[in-house]
C-alpha cells in the first residue's frame, strides 16, 4: 500500500510539469483566437491585405499556428477562397497576409474571416480550430462616383499572354450594356445584379498607347472604358559578351530582345553588376555598356546583366578572364619599305594593349588574290621601363619658393614608343592636402611650380600610350637651407672636368653634379649628372664646354629621404685664357707727388681665366727713375716703362707715389691669369701739378674779387660816369633859343634836320645848244636823245638802296607859266635807281601833262637866251616841306619832299633850267638811266 | 455716278460747276474710293477666313493619325461618346440664335479665347505623344494655330477691339489628376480634336459673316456723294 502510495505520488509529481505546461499553453478555454483583424484594399494590384494579432499568447512564447482564411464575394455565404496560412506566432506580433483577386476589387464587395489552430510539434495532441472571427468587409465600390457605368480594372499593366478579368458596374439595367475590346464586342458572365465580368485570355500587345476596352449602354449613351496596357514579355538578354581592345575599357554587348516600353511603362533598363569588385553601372544603351577596367589588375570578372521593367526582372551572367577577352584593334599605317626585286620590308603600327602585352601579328602576302606567304611577328608593347631623370632648381620669385623641374627625355630603349606626356604629382609632406597633378604634354622637358614653405614630394612619370613609367621622386624642402659651402677650383682637361668631393653623411643614396652648359647665356641651360652613393668623383664632359668660359659645378648629396643638400661648389675652366679686356681705371687724388688708381667695377668672375692679380704700368718722364714700388720692364713695343705687380685679384686700388711735380706720367693697368696678361691698351696721360700752384691761386682769387667790386661800383655810379665821360649832345629842337626866335619872327621857321643831310653831288653840265634844237625838232623821247638838263636839281641819294622819295630843291623860274610850274615843281618822281620803270609810267595823265609842259617849254625857249652855260646846283640841305605832297597822285613813289626857293637869284637857266620837256611824265626807266650818269 | 439733274437753267450753270467742284473736293473722303489710305480690316478678315479653312484641312489629316494612335473606338467614324471629362474645353457649339445675335467684338473675343485654350491643350497633347512623327505633326499644327490666333488678334486690333486679358492663375493646363484614368485621358484627347474641328468650322462661318459685313454696298457710295455734293 505504501509502495502504491509512493508510486502514485511519483506519478503525480511526474505529471505535474506536463500539467503545468499544458495549463500555460492551452489553458482552458483555449484563447488563441485571431484578433484585431483588419482588411485593406489595394485596387491597383487587386489585392486584399489582412493584418491581425494573437493576444492570448504567454510572454516570450512562440508557437506555430495555422490560420484558416475564408473570402466571400458579394455575400458572406458565397465563399470563393479558403486558405490555410501557417506561421509562427509571437505575442503581440502583427501578422500579415494578402490575397490577389482575379476580379477587380471595385466590382464586388469581399468578406473575410479567419480562425486559428495550434500546429506545434510540441503539442502531441492534435489541435482544434478556434472560433471564426467576425466577417470583415472590403468594399472598394464606396469610392465610386455617380456615373452610370464603370469598367475595371483601370489602367492595368499586364504581360502579354496573361489572363485578365474585366468587370463593369452599372447603376442602370444591365440588359442593354455591351462591351467591346478594341471595337470587337465581348461577352462575359453576369456576377451580380449590377456587375458583369469578362475574362480576357492570353492578351496580346497591340500598341504602346494600350488596349481599349469599353462598355456602353446601347441607347442611354452612357459609356465607360479602360485602357489595358499589355507589355511584351521581358526577355532574357541573349548573346551577352564582353571584350576589350585596350585593357582599359570593357565593352559588353547583348541582344535585348523586344522593347517592353509602353506609355505606362518605360522600356526595360539594364544594369551591369560585377560580383568580385561589387561595382555596378546603369547602362545608357539598350544593347551595350562600357565598363572601366580598374587599375588594380583584376583579372577575373563575373558580370551579371540585369534587365528590368515594372513587371519582371531578368538576368544573365558571364565569368571570364580579362586577358581572354582581348580583341586587338586593327593594325594601321601598313607600308612597304625598301622594296627590291625579291624582298621588301613592311612597316606598320599597332594599338597597344595594356602594359607588358605581346601582340602576335600575322602578315599575309597575296598574289593574284591568293595568299602565297604568311608571316607571324610577335610584338611586345610596354610602358616606359625607366623613370625619367629629374632634377630641380630652386629660386625665390616674389617671396615664394619656385621650383623649376627638369627632366631628360627617355632613351628609345626605355621609352618603348612615343612618350605622350609627363605626369607631375606634387604631394605636401607637412600637412595633408589634395595631390596636385599636372599633365605636361611631351616634348616639354621642364615645368615650374610655385610652392610655399612646406616640404613637398614630387613624382614625375613619363607616359606612352601603354602606361606610365616608374616614378622619379624628389623631395623639396621649404627651407632653402645653408647654401654657404666650401668653394673650390676644378681643373679642366681634354676629357672634361674631373670633379671630386668629400662625402658628408653616410646615408647618401646618391650624388648629383649640376652645372650650366652656357653660363654666360641666360637662362642657364641646367645640366646635371646623377651618380651612385659610393661615388666621390666623376668626369663631367660636354660638347658644349668651351675654353675661356668659367663653369660652376655644384655637388649635391641626395639623402635617404630623396632630399638634396648642397655639398660643394667648384669652378673651373676647360682651358684658361689671358684676360680679354682691361679694367676701366679711375684716377683720383692727384697731387704733385701721387695719384690713386681704382678699378672696383672689374669682375674677376666673368673672365676667361682665374685672375691672379694686376700689372700697373707707369711711364715716367724721360730719364726719370721708376718710383720705388715699380720695377723697370720692357714692353713688347720695346719701350721701357715701370711695372708694379699686384698679386691679389681682389685688390682693385693702387696709389702711385713718389712722383715728380709738374711731370707727365702715363699709366695702364691690366689683369693677368696663369696664361698671361690682358691686351696692351693705350696708356693714360696725367700731369702732376706744380708744387706752388696753390700759392698762385691765393693771389689770383683776391684779384678777381677786387675786379668784381670795381665793376659793381661802376655799375652803380653809371650816371655820374656818363655825365663825366660822354655827356648828351644838345638837340636844336629842344633848344630854348628856338622858342625865342619862333615867337619873334617867322612862324614857319624850321630847323634843319641833321639826319636829312644826305651827301649831295653837284654836277656842272655844259649843255650844247644844238642838242636842244635837235631835241625839240625831232621830239624824240628822252631815252633816245642826249640827256637834257632838268629844270630841277635833284638831290640824289648817294646810297643805292635808297627807296624813299628823294628830296629835291626846285629853282623856280618865274618866267614859267604858273600852272606848268606847279606841275614842274614836283613833276618828277625821284626814284631809286633800282626801281623798275613800269611802276611809274602810268601814274600821271601823260597826254595832258605832256601838252602843258610842251607848251610852256616852247614858250620858254623863245624867251631865254641860248648859248649860256648852265649850272645845276644840288643843295646839300633839303628841308622837308609838305606843300606839294598832293600835287600828283603818284603812289608809289610818294611825291618828293620839295623845297622851293623863290626868287633866290636870277639865274639864266636856258635849256638847262627848262622843265623836263614834254616827257616830264617819262617813265622812270629813263630817269634811272640818267640817274646812273649823275653818279 | 452723279444723279441726273434734268435740264439746267441758265443761272444754274454756275451752281453745277460749284457742285462739280464740291464733288471733286469730297471725292477723296469716300472710303470705298480711297485706294491710297488704310485698307481697313477687310483683307485681314479674308486672310483669317482662309487660314481657318486651311487649318480645317490640316486637322483632318492630323486627327486621323492621332485617333488611330489612340486606337478603337476613338478612330471609328461613328464614335460619338458623351462628353465625359473635358469640361474645361471651350465649347464651339452654340445655339444658332445666340450665334446670330453675337456682336463682332464678342464673336472675335470668343474665337480668340477658344483658340488660346485649345492651343495650350494641344501643346500638352504634343508633350505626351509617343512617336516622333506624331510630335512633328502636332508641332506643325500648333504653329499654324498660333498663326490663326495672331491673325484674329490682328483683326481685333484693326477694328479697335482690345484683346481679352487672361486672368492670372487661370492658365489652362493639360495635366490630368491621379484619378483621371487613361481611358478618360483618351476621351479628352478625342474631344480636344473634335472641339478644335468644330471651332474651325464655326470660325469659318464667323469670319465669312464678318467679311460680308465689312464690305460696304456700292449704293452707300452714291448716297454719300449726294449728301456732300448737294
Amino acid at each position: 500500500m505504501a509502495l502504491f502510495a509512493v508510486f502514485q505520488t511519483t506519478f503525480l509529481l511526474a505529471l505535474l510539469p506536463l500539467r503545468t505546461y499544458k495549463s500555460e499553453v492551452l489553458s482552458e478555454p483555449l484563447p488563441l483566437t485571431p484578433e484585431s483583424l483588419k482588411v485593406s484594399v489595394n485596387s491597383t494590384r487587386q489585392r486584399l491585405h489582412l493584418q491581425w494579432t494573437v493576444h492570448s499568447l504567454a510572454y516570450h512564447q512562440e508557437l506555430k499556428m495555422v490560420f484558416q482564411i475564408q473570402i466571400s464575394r458579394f455575400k458572406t455565404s458565397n465563399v470563393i477562397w479558403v486558405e490555410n496560412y501557417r506561421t509562427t506566432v509571437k505575442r503581440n506580433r502583427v501578422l500579415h497576409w494578402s490575397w490577389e483577386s482575379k476580379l477587380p476589387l471595385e466590382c464586388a464587395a469581399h468578406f473575410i474571416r479567419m480562425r486559428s489552430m495550434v500546429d506545434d510539434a510540441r503539442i502531441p495532441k492534435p489541435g482544434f480550430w478556434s472560433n471564426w472571427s467576425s466577417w470583415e468587409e472590403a468594399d472598394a465600390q464606396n469610392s465610386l462616383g455617380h456615373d452610370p457605368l464603370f469598367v475595371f480594372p483601370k489602367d492595368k499593366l499586364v504581360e502579354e499572354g496573361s489572363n485578365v478579368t474585366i468587370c463593369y458596374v452599372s447603376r442602370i439595367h444591365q440588359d442593354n450594356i455591351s462591351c467591346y475590346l478594341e471595337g470587337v464586342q465581348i461577352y462575359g458572365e453576369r456576377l451580380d445584379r449590377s456587375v458583369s465580368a469578362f475574362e480576357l485570355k492570353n492578351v496580346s500587345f497591340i500598341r504602346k498607347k494600350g488596349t481599349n476596352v469599353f462598355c456602353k449602354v446601347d441607347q442611354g449613351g452612357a459609356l465607360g472604358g479602360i485602357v489595358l496596357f499589355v507589355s511584351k514579355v521581358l526577355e532574357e538578354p541573349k548573346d551577352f559578351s564582353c571584350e576589350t581592345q585596350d585593357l582599359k575599357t570593357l565593352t559588353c554587348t547583348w541582344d535585348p530582345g523586344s522593347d517592353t516600353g509602353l506609355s505606362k511603362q518605360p522600356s526595360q533598363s539594364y544594369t551591369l553588376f560585377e560580383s568580385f569588385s561589387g561595382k555596378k553601372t546603369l547602362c545608357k544603351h539598350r544593347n551595350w555598356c562600357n565598363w572601366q577596367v580598374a587599375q588594380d589588375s583584376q583579372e577575373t570578372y563575373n558580370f551579371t546583366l540585369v534587365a528590368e521593367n515594372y513587371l519582371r526582372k531578368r538576368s544573365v551572367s558571364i565569368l571570364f578572364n580579362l586577358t581572354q577577352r582581348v580583341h586587338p584593334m586593327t593594325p594601321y599605317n601598313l607600308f612597304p619599305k625598301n622594296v627590291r626585286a625579291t624582298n621588301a620590308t613592311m612597316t606598320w603600327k599597332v594599338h597597344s594593349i595594356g602594359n607588358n602585352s605581346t601582340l602576335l601579328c600575322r602578315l599575309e602576302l597575296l598574289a593574284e588574290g591568293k595568299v602565297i606567304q604568311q608571316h607571324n611577328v610577335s610584338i611586345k608593347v610596354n610602358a616606359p621601363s625607366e623613370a625619367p631623370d629629374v632634377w630641380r632648381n630652386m629660386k625665390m620669385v616674389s617671396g615664394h619658393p619656385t621650383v623649376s623641374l627638369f627632366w631628360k627625355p627617355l632613351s628609345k630603349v626605355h621609352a618603348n614608343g612615343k612618350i605622350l606626356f609627363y605626369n607631375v604629382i606634387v604631394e605636401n609632406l607637412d600637412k595633408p592636402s589634395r595631390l596636385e597633378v599636372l599633365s605636361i604634354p611631351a616634348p616639354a622637358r621642364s615645368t615650374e611650380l610655385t610652392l610655399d614653405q612646406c616640404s613637398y614630394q614630387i613624382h614625375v612619370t613619363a607616359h606612352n600610350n601603354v602606361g606610365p613609367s616608374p616614378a622619379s621622386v624628389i623631395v623639396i624642402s621649404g627651407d632653402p637651407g645653408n647654401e654657404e659651402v666650401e668653394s673650390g677650383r676644378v681643373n679642366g682637361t681634354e676629357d672634361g672636368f674631373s670633379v671630386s668631393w668629400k662625402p658628408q653623411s653616410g646615408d647618401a643614396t646618391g650624388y648629383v653634379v649640376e652645372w650650366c652648359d652656357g653660363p654666360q647665356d641666360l637662362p642657364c641651360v641646367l645640366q646635371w649628372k646623377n651618380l651612385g652613393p659610393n661615388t666621390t668623383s666623376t668626369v663631367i664632359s660636354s660638347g658644349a664646354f668651351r675654353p675661356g668660359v668659367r663653369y660652376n659645378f655644384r655637388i649635391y648629396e641626395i639623402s635617404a629621404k630623396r632630399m638634396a643638400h648642397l655639398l660643394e661648389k667648384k669652378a673651373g675652366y676647360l682651358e684658361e685664357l689671358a684676360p680679354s679686356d682691361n679694367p676701366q681705371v679711375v684716377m683720383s687724388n692727384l697731387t704733385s707727388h701721387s695719384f690713386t688708381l681704382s678699378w672696383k667695377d672689374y669682375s674677376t668672375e666673368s673672365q676667361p681665366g682665374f685672375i691672379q692679380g694686376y700689372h700697373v704700368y707707369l711711364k715716367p718722364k724721360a730719364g726719370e727713375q721708376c718710383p720705388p714700388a715699380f720695377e723697370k720692364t720692357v714692353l713688347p713695343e720695346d719701350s721701357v716703362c715701370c711695372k708694379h705687380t699686384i698679386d691679389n685679384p681682389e685688390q682693385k686700388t693702387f696709389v702711385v707715389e713718389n712722383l715728380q711735380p709738374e711731370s707727365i706720367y702715363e699709366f695702364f693697368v691690366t689683369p693677368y691669369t696663369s696664361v698671361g696678361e690682358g691686351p696692351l691698351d693705350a696708356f693714360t696721360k696725367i700731369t702732376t701739378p706744380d708744387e706752388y700752384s696753390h700759392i698762385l691761386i691765393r693771389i689770383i682769387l683776391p684779384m678777381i674779387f677786387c675786379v668784381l667790386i670795381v665793376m659793381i661800383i661802376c655799375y652803380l655810379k653809371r650816371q655820374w660816369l656818363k655825365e663825366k665821360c660822354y655827356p648828351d649832345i644838345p638837340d636844336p629842337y629842344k633848344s630854348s633859343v628856338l622858342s625865342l626866335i619862333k615867337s619873334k619872327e617867322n612862324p614857319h621857321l624850321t630847323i634843319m634836320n641833321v639826319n636829312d643831310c644826305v651827301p649831295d653831288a653837284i654836277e656842272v653840265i655844259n649843255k650844247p645848244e644844238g642838242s636842244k634844237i635837235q631835241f625839240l625838232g625831232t621830239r624824240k623821247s628822252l631815252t633816245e636823245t642826249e640827256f637834257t638838263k632838268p629844270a630841277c636839281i635833284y638831290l640824289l641819294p648817294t646810297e643805292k638802296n635808297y627807296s624813299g622819295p628823294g628830296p629835291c630843291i626846285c629853282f623856280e623860274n618865274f618866267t614859267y607859266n604858273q600852272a606848268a610850274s606847279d606841275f614842274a615843281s614836283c613833276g618828277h618822281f625821284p626814284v631809286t635807281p633800282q626801281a623798275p620803270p613800269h611802276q611809274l609810267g602810268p601814274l600821271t595823265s601823260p597826254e595832258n601833262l605832256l601838252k602843258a609842259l610842251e607848251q610852256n617849254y616852247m614858250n620858254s625857249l623863245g624867251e631865254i637866251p641860248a648859248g649860256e652855260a648852265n649850272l645845276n646846283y644840288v643843295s646839300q640841305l633839303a628841308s622837308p616841306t609838305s606843300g606839294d605832297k598832293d600835287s600828283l597822285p603818284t603812289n608809289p613813289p610818294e611825291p618828293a619832299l620839295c623845297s622851293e626857293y623863290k626868287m633866290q637869284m636870277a639865274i639864266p637857266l636856258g635849256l638847262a633850267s627848262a622843265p623836263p620837256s614834254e616827257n616830264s611824265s617819262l617813265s622812270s626807266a629813263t630817269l634811272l638811266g640818267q640817274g646812273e650818269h649823275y653818279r | 455716278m452723279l444723279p441726273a439733274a434734268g435740264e439746267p437753267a441758265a443761272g444754274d450753270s454756275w451752281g453745277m460747276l460749284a457742285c462739280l467742284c464740291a464733288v471733286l473736293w469730297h471725292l477723296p473722303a469716300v472710303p470705298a474710293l480711297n485706294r491710297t489710305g488704310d485698307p481697313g480690316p477687310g483683307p485681314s478678315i479674308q486672310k483669317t477666313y482662309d487660314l481657318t479653312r486651311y487649318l480645317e484641312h490640316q486637322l483632318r489629316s492630323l486627327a486621323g493619325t492621332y485617333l488611330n494612335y489612340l486606337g478603337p473606338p476613338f478612330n471609328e467614324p461613328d464614335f460619338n461618346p458623351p462628353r465625359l471629362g473635358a469640361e474645361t474645353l471651350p465649347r464651339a457649339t452654340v445655339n444658332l440664335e445666340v450665334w446670330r445675335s453675337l456682336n463682332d467684338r464678342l464673336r472675335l473675343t470668343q474665337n480668340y479665347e477658344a483658340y488660346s485654350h485649345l492651343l495650350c491643350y494641344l501643346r500638352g497633347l504634343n508633350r505626351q505623344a509617343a512617336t516622333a512623327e506624331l510630335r512633328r505633326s502636332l508641332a506643325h499644327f500648333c504653329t499654324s494655330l498660333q498663326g490663326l490666333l495672331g491673325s484674329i488678334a490682328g483683326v481685333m486690333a484693326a477694328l479697335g477691339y482690345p484683346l481679352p486679358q487672361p486672368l492670372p492663375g487661370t492658365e489652362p493646363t493639360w495635366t490630368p489628376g491621379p484619378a483621371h484614368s487613361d481611358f478618360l485621358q483618351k476621351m479628352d484627347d478625342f474631344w480636344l480634336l473634335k472641339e478644335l474641328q468644330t471651332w474651325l468650322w464655326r470660325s469659318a462661318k464667323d469670319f465669312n459673316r464678318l467679311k460680308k459685313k465689312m464690305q460696304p454696298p456700292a449704293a452707300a457710295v452714291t448716297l454719300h456723294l449726294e449728301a456732300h455734293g448737294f
Side-chain angles (χ1 to χ4, degrees), chain A residues 38-53:
Chain A
K38 285 179 187 168
V39 181
S40 57
V41 179
N42 185 339
S43 296
T44 315
R45 293 180 177 272
Q46 294 185 203
R47 291 190 87 89
L48 286 175
H49 288 282
L50 275 65
Q51 65 175 53
W52 69 96
T53 54

Side-chain angles (χ1 to χ4, degrees), chain A residues 358-379:
Chain A
T358 306
L359 280 169
L360 184 67
C361 296
R362 171 170 292 177
L363 204 65
E364 289 182 346
L365 181 65
L366 279 82
E368 296 171 354
K370 289 180 184 174
V371 177
I372 57 168
Q373 275 186 38
Q374 276 188 350
H375 298 275
N376 289 342
V377 184
S378 179
I379 299 167

Side-chain angles (χ1 to χ4, degrees), chain A residues 587-644:
Chain A
M587 195 275 292
S588 58
N589 298 340
L590 177 66
T591 66
S592 51
H593 294 287
S594 71
F595 58 87
T596 306
L597 300 174
S598 72
W599 53 95
K600 292 193 188 290
D601 293 338
Y602 187 71
S603 164
T604 53
E605 298 286 318
S606 55
Q607 301 307 321
F610 291 113
I611 301 294
Q612 294 182 340
Y614 306 93
H615 289 146
V616 182
Y617 290 96
L618 187 75
K619 273 187 187 171
K621 198 162 61 174
E624 199 178 300
Q625 289 295 315
C626 284
F630 288 79
E631 60 184 15
K632 211 163 241 177
T633 186
V634 179
L635 289 174
E637 61 205 28
D638 290 341
S639 62
V640 177
C641 73
C642 308
K643 175 182 168 187
H644 173 76

Side-chain angles (χ1 to χ4, degrees), chain A residues 78-339:
Chain A
N78 180 27
V79 175
I80 58 161
W81 191 269
V82 178
E83 185 177 326
N84 289 338
Y85 171 56
R86 291 169 197 281
T87 185
T88 304
V89 184
K90 208 174 168 183
R91 184 186 165 88
N92 288 338
R93 178 189 285 172
V94 178
L95 298 164
H96 294 272
W97 181 79
S98 77
W99 172 75
E100 185 181 358
S101 168
K102 282 188 179 176
L103 184 74
L105 294 170
E106 294 94 339
C107 284
H110 287 77
F111 302 92
I112 303 102
R113 68 175 183 174
M114 66 165 64
R115 60 181 179 174
S116 62
M117 185 175 67
V118 175
D119 184 26
D120 202 305
R122 288 174 292 179
I123 309 295
K125 188 183 171 185
F128 51 92
W129 288 106
S130 70
N131 293 329
W132 284 104
S133 66
S134 58
W135 286 102
E136 290 293 325
E137 187 181 356
D139 191 0
Q141 284 185 316
N142 296 335
S143 59
L144 298 180
H146 300 288
D147 287 349
L149 192 60
F150 296 98
V151 183
F152 294 104
K154 276 184 183 174
D155 312 332
K156 193 173 174 69
L157 175 66
V158 293
E159 267 186 348
E160 213 173 19
S162 314
N163 297 334
V164 182
T165 303
I166 292 167
C167 62
Y168 68 79
V169 180
S170 73
R171 299 194 191 281
I172 50 176
H173 197 254
Q174 274 205 4
D175 288 342
N176 53 359
I177 295 175
S178 47
C179 294
Y180 301 86
L181 168 70
E182 285 290 307
V184 178
Q185 189 166 4
I186 49 173
Y187 301 95
E189 179 192 358
R190 186 165 175 170
L191 300 178
D192 187 33
R193 188 171 48 84
S194 60
V195 179
S196 286
F198 305 85
E199 188 165 9
L200 308 178
K201 291 189 173 172
N202 196 14
V203 290
S204 58
F205 169 83
I206 294 175
R207 72 178 71 79
K208 289 193 168 191
K209 198 71 180 167
T211 307
N212 303 319
V213 181
F214 76 101
C215 301
K216 65 177 181 181
V217 180
D218 289 342
Q219 274 84 37
L223 187 139
I226 57 153
V227 179
L228 183 67
F229 290 97
V230 182
S231 157
K232 287 188 175 174
V233 179
L234 178 64
E235 296 169 52
E236 187 177 90
K238 291 186 277 289
D239 306 329
F240 178 45
S241 68
C242 299
E243 65 178 35
T244 180
Q245 290 191 318
D246 53 5
L247 289 174
K248 288 176 185 166
T249 306
L250 260 171
T251 306
C252 298
T253 55
W254 60 90
D255 176 8
S258 51
D259 181 13
T260 64
L262 299 169
S263 61
K264 191 78 177 172
Q265 168 186 263
S267 298
Q268 67 268 33
S269 66
Y270 291 91
T271 309
L272 202 56
F273 175 72
E274 206 284 308
S275 61
F276 292 116
S277 60
K279 292 178 184 169
K280 69 174 179 181
T281 182
L282 183 68
C283 300
K284 292 174 186 167
H285 308 275
R286 282 186 71 228
N287 58 346
W288 64 274
C289 201
N290 273 344
W291 182 271
Q292 295 304 316
V293 173
Q295 296 295 323
D296 54 4
S297 68
Q298 181 184 351
E299 284 188 1
T300 312
Y301 288 81
N302 184 7
F303 280 110
T304 302
L305 179 69
V306 180
E308 196 174 355
N309 65 9
Y310 287 170
L311 300 168
R312 197 183 282 271
K313 194 184 263 192
R314 296 275 184 138
S315 66
V316 59
S317 295
I318 48 168
L319 176 72
F320 60 84
N321 194 325
L322 185 64
T323 52
Q324 303 298 315
R325 299 295 175 120
V326 179
H327 181 204
M329 282 197 265
T330 312
Y332 60 104
N333 284 2
L334 177 69
F335 288 121
K337 209 165 111 183
N338 304 334
V339 181

Side-chain angles (χ1 to χ4, degrees), chain A residues 704-714:
Chain A
I704 292 169
F705 182 73
C706 289
V707 167
L708 272 173
I709 294 288
V710 168
M711 283 174 76
I712 289 164
I713 290 166
C714 288

